[in-house]
Amino acid sequence: MATSAVLPEITASANEGPQLREFARMLESHQAALIGPSGGKIPLPGPIYKVLVSALRFLERGEGVMILPSTQEMTTQSAADLLGVSRQYVVQLLEEGKIPFHKVGTHRRVSMKDVLEFRRKRDNRRKQILGEIAREAVEDGTYDLIPPSE
């Protein structure tokens, strides 16, 4: 699989904030459509609408947006940066079969989709474990949900 071209980061200036908020309000309160060359409405398909709304939310918060395919290939260092771990740990995850990969020569490559799926599962598992710890702490009386009265 060849590495896909990635579009540059898209950002909005601070003075575009009010315009973005107005656009978001309009987008959410009306059926999203494009106006064709002859003036006819062309309804936006669901996936296009979701991409547009998601990108708009990031831009509203002053965050940049990049559009790239989920099959975009990454180096182990890029995957490590995305996961917030060391490159060596990512290599360990790959060798353990926890994230699929393939080699280009001697270099490992992973797909963005697989790294994001691993991160989603990891984060869900962390939330589950934290919930269990909190529940057990409340049941054991080592943590009170209601602060003591003064």
Side-chain angles (χ1 to χ4, degrees):
M1 175 187 317
T3 301
S4 305
V6 177
L7 297 175
E9 182 179 28
I10 301 163
T11 58
S13 65
N15 62 355
E16 291 174 304
Q19 187 179 16
L20 289 170
R21 279 186 289 286
E22 176 64 16
F23 184 69
R25 188 189 62 74
M26 290 177 61
L27 189 62
E28 291 171 347
S29 64
H30 295 84
Q31 171 63 40
L34 297 174
I35 304 298
S38 62
K41 284 187 177 181
I42 306 167
L44 286 179
I48 300 297
Y49 176 77
K50 289 177 183 177
V51 167
L52 187 59
V53 170
S54 295
L56 182 59
R57 292 292 173 222
F58 284 113
L59 291 169
E60 274 186 288
R61 293 192 304 257
E63 298 179 49
V65 176
M66 295 178 75
I67 297 176
L68 56 120
S70 61
T71 56
Q72 176 71 36
E73 291 185 348
M74 306 174 72
T75 65
T76 53
Q77 184 61 59
S78 296
D81 293 343
L82 183 61
L83 294 172
V85 298
S86 71
R87 189 191 67 76
Q88 293 82 1
Y89 182 65
V90 167
V91 170
Q92 179 183 338
L93 293 171
L94 300 181
E95 296 301 327
E96 291 173 355
K98 294 182 178 174
I99 301 174
F101 75 98
H102 67 277
K103 284 192 172 183
V104 177
T106 60
H107 300 281
R108 295 172 188 87
R109 294 289 182 263
V110 295
S111 77
M112 171 82 68
K113 179 175 120 182
D114 291 333
V115 173
L116 292 174
E117 178 66 13
F118 175 84
R119 184 176 73 175
R120 184 189 63 76
K121 286 179 180 177
R122 177 197 68 184
D123 292 351
N124 286 344
R125 181 71 181 134
R126 284 179 176 173
K127 288 177 188 173
Q128 178 187 3
I129 290 169
L130 284 172
E132 290 171 9
I133 291 169
R135 188 186 81 258
E136 289 173 8
V138 169
E139 289 173 0
D140 294 343
T142 57
Y143 181 79
D144 291 325
L145 291 176
I146 302 170
S149 305
E150 292 184 35

